[in-house]
């Protein structure tokens, strides 16, 4: 969920999405590794709920479903791609079962259309789509080759971006590969197949602009020690934006972020924003609650801090590094995360998070 260069983000959104988005309807799809998994993201978006005409009661039941299963989706982000796809495929199957029982025929049909739309050209790699439009195996194979070329080109550009500026030739290669894949709708499909695709998509709907596309975050695991507060539950903080960060008080990289946590706590009203720290020990001395409290006082922390001595919350969140920052909206959904120093090498992720907070404050609670 880290920020990507605009040119690369465009390619990813239009052609790849990410592994975390989802996969094909079954784990046995021939070209499954090339098909984005978008269903979970789509069903979390309020705009999709409105487009489907879900009643308030249906939305309430859907959120109860999220509370039960979103933890699996949230934690799958750290798994190897194949295992992640397996988890997401399982959750997609459960989601389809929910819609089969809780939604009308029209709602299910429109949901299918939106999922197809979100896949772009990659929808043609799905076996159900191929069957519906009469796509031949040779055509699917050609489309798969184009998709693999795009994936490889984008992967090279992404790898280069980790160490600095991306060479122009890699940007060009990724852009051209994505463009060739998009053109395949006209160059690979026959006219009658193109018409059939249009019917599968239904009325226009912009799936690329959806904002709330991540899971509900896990509830906090109860612990013995808190600082500056009685024990908290995230569900009790619904209606407020929550900025939750994992840190260790002897972690140098964590120290660089402390000024921003204090600033957000001081700047925003407690009725609107709550900063919550989770001190998870990295060293033996950080396992001493007294030392943790002393360090929090020294750093001027006035916000609530959970002392995670057994790393239970770290594990429940599948956190992987100190520091990590999560921004949670008023209904308990993850909206942004960042790992590492917010201002590393001149970066301005503190301002990015500040802007996200202000945006979420302005959102309607429902």
């Amino acid at each position: 969920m880290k920020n990507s260069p605009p040119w690369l983000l465009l390619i990813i959104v239009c052609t790849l999405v990410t592994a975390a988005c989802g996969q094909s309807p079954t784990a046995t799809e021939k070209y499954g590794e090339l098909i984005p998994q978008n269903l979970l993201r789509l069903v979390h978006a309020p705009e999709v709920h409105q487009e489907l005409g879900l009643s308030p009661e249906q939305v309430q039941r859907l959120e109860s479903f999220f509370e039960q299963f979103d933890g699996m989706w949230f934690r799958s982000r750290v798994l190897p791609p194949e295992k992640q796809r397996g988890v997401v495929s399982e959750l997609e199957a459960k989601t389809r079962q929910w819609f089969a029982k809780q939604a009308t025929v029209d709602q299910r049909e429109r949901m299918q259309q939106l999922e197809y739309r979100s896949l772009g050209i990659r929808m043609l790699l799905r076996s159900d789509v191929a069957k519906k439009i009469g796509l031949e195996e040779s055509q699917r194979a050609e489309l798969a080759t184009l998709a693999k070329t795009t994936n490889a080109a984008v992967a090279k550009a992404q790898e280069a971006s980790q160490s600095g500026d991306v060479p122009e030739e890699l940007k060009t290669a990724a852009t051209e590969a994505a463009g060739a894949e998009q053109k395949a709708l006209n160059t690979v499909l026959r006219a009658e197949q193109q018409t059939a695709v249009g019917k599968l998509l239904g009325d226009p709907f912009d799936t690329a602009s959806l904002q709330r596309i991540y899971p509900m975050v896990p509830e906090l695991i109860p612990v013995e020690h808190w600082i500056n507060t009685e024990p908290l539950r995230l569900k009790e903080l619904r209606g407020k934006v929550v900025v939750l960060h994992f840190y260790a008080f002897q972690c140098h990289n964590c120290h660089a972020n402390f000024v921003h946590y204090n600033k957000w706590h001081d700047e925003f009203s407690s009725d609107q924003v709550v900063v919550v720290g989770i001190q998870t020990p990295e060293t033996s001395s950080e396992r001493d609650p007294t030392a943790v409290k002393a360090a929090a006082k020294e750093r001027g922390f006035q916000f609530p801090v959970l002392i995670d001595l057994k790393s239970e919350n770290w594990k429940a969140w599948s956190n992987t590094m100190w520091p990590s920052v999560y921004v949670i909206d008023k209904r308990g959904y993850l909206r942004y995360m960042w790992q590492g120093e917010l201002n590393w090498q001149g970066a301005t992720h503190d301002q990015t998070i500040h802007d996200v907070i202000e945006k979420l404050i302005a959102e309607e609670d429902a």
Side-chain angles (χ1 to χ4, degrees):
M1 287 170 245
K2 297 180 181 180
N3 293 344
S4 299
W7 66 272
L8 181 57
L9 184 61
L10 178 63
I11 294 173
I12 294 172
V13 168
C14 292
T15 64
L16 295 181
V17 194
T18 61
C21 295
Q23 187 196 358
S24 49
T26 70
T28 58
E29 280 278 8
K30 182 175 182 178
Y31 302 111
E33 75 281 359
L34 299 173
I35 306 171
Q37 294 174 293
N38 292 345
L39 181 60
L40 299 183
R41 291 195 172 202
L42 289 171
V43 299
H44 280 69
E47 298 91 338
V48 170
H49 301 169
Q50 183 176 0
E51 178 69 13
L52 298 180
L54 297 183
S55 68
E57 292 76 16
Q58 284 177 306
V59 173
Q60 185 177 22
R61 291 195 293 270
L62 186 58
E63 291 201 320
S64 295
F65 174 83
F66 294 158
E67 288 180 347
Q68 184 178 1
F69 293 108
D70 269 11
M72 294 174 60
W73 182 26
F74 182 78
R75 288 184 286 272
S76 73
R77 74 192 188 282
V78 302
L79 297 175
E82 284 304 315
K83 289 186 177 180
Q84 184 185 47
R85 282 197 294 271
V87 171
V88 174
S89 291
E90 178 183 348
L91 294 175
E92 284 187 331
K94 292 181 183 297
T95 301
R96 296 180 201 283
Q97 291 170 5
W98 186 93
F99 271 87
K101 295 179 180 179
Q102 303 288 345
T104 66
V105 172
D106 288 344
Q107 288 171 335
R108 294 196 296 272
E109 180 179 351
R110 185 53 175 160
M111 186 70 251
Q112 182 67 89
Q113 292 173 348
L114 298 185
E115 187 179 5
Y116 286 157
R117 281 189 167 275
S118 74
L119 298 176
I121 192 72
R122 298 286 174 96
M123 69 176 279
L124 300 175
L125 296 177
R126 284 179 46 153
S127 56
D128 59 333
V129 173
K131 183 176 180 180
K132 289 176 181 177
I133 69 171
L135 201 63
E136 298 169 3
E137 181 53 36
S138 60
Q139 292 175 296
R140 291 183 76 197
E142 185 174 353
L143 292 167
T145 297
L146 291 170
K148 290 176 182 177
T149 300
T150 302
N151 282 12
V154 172
K156 287 184 179 179
Q158 285 180 314
E159 183 179 359
S161 71
Q162 299 302 312
S163 56
D165 293 335
V166 181
E168 286 299 323
E169 59 267 25
L170 293 184
K171 293 182 183 180
T172 300
T175 302
E176 290 180 350
E181 189 178 355
Q182 296 303 310
K183 292 178 182 178
L185 183 65
N186 296 321
T187 60
V188 176
L189 270 63
R190 298 188 297 272
E192 68 273 17
Q193 292 173 327
Q194 295 175 30
T195 300
V197 168
K199 293 180 180 179
L200 289 181
L201 295 175
D203 294 335
F205 185 86
D206 184 9
T207 62
S209 65
L210 302 177
Q211 299 296 308
R212 200 186 76 188
I213 56 174
Y214 301 124
M216 282 186 174
V217 298
E219 184 54 84
L220 298 175
I221 305 297
V223 298
E224 180 179 358
H225 301 285
W226 281 82
I227 303 173
N228 299 326
T229 184
E230 294 297 317
L232 296 176
R233 289 180 56 81
L234 292 178
K235 198 164 187 177
E236 296 169 351
L237 299 178
R238 296 284 174 84
K240 301 179 182 182
V241 178
V242 177
V243 182
L244 185 147
H245 64 92
F246 285 86
Y247 77 99
F249 75 78
Q250 292 184 322
C251 163
H252 175 75
N253 299 101
C254 297
H255 294 173
N257 286 356
F258 288 167
V259 62
H260 302 299
Y261 307 148
N262 285 332
K263 178 183 177 182
W264 297 330
H265 173 76
D266 293 339
E267 178 179 354
F268 294 106
S269 166
S270 60
D271 292 332
Q272 296 179 315
V273 179
V274 179
V275 177
V276 178
I278 298 183
Q279 150 70 43
T280 304
E282 184 177 15
T283 65
S284 58
S285 59
E286 290 166 342
R287 300 184 185 280
D288 178 2
T290 302
V292 174
K293 293 176 182 179
K297 183 177 181 180
E298 179 183 354
R299 294 290 179 172
F301 292 175
Q302 299 296 315
F303 51 80
V305 174
L306 179 158
I307 304 180
D308 193 27
L309 294 180
K310 298 180 180 180
S311 302
E312 293 174 298
N313 286 278
W314 177 281
K315 295 173 184 175
W317 284 60
S318 287
N319 203 61
T320 59
M321 68 178 292
W322 298 269
S324 292
V325 186
Y326 301 84
V327 185
I328 306 159
D329 71 15
K330 298 176 186 179
R331 295 190 67 84
Y333 293 89
L334 176 69
R335 300 296 288 274
Y336 189 85
M337 68 170 287
W338 183 257
Q339 293 182 307
E341 294 184 26
L342 295 165
N343 298 134
W344 177 253
Q345 295 184 339
T348 57
H349 297 293
D350 61 313
Q351 185 59 50
T352 299
I353 290 180
H354 185 279
D355 293 345
V356 171
I357 294 171
E358 289 192 327
K359 176 182 177 181
L360 297 182
I361 290 174
E363 284 187 348
E364 295 292 336
D365 290 2

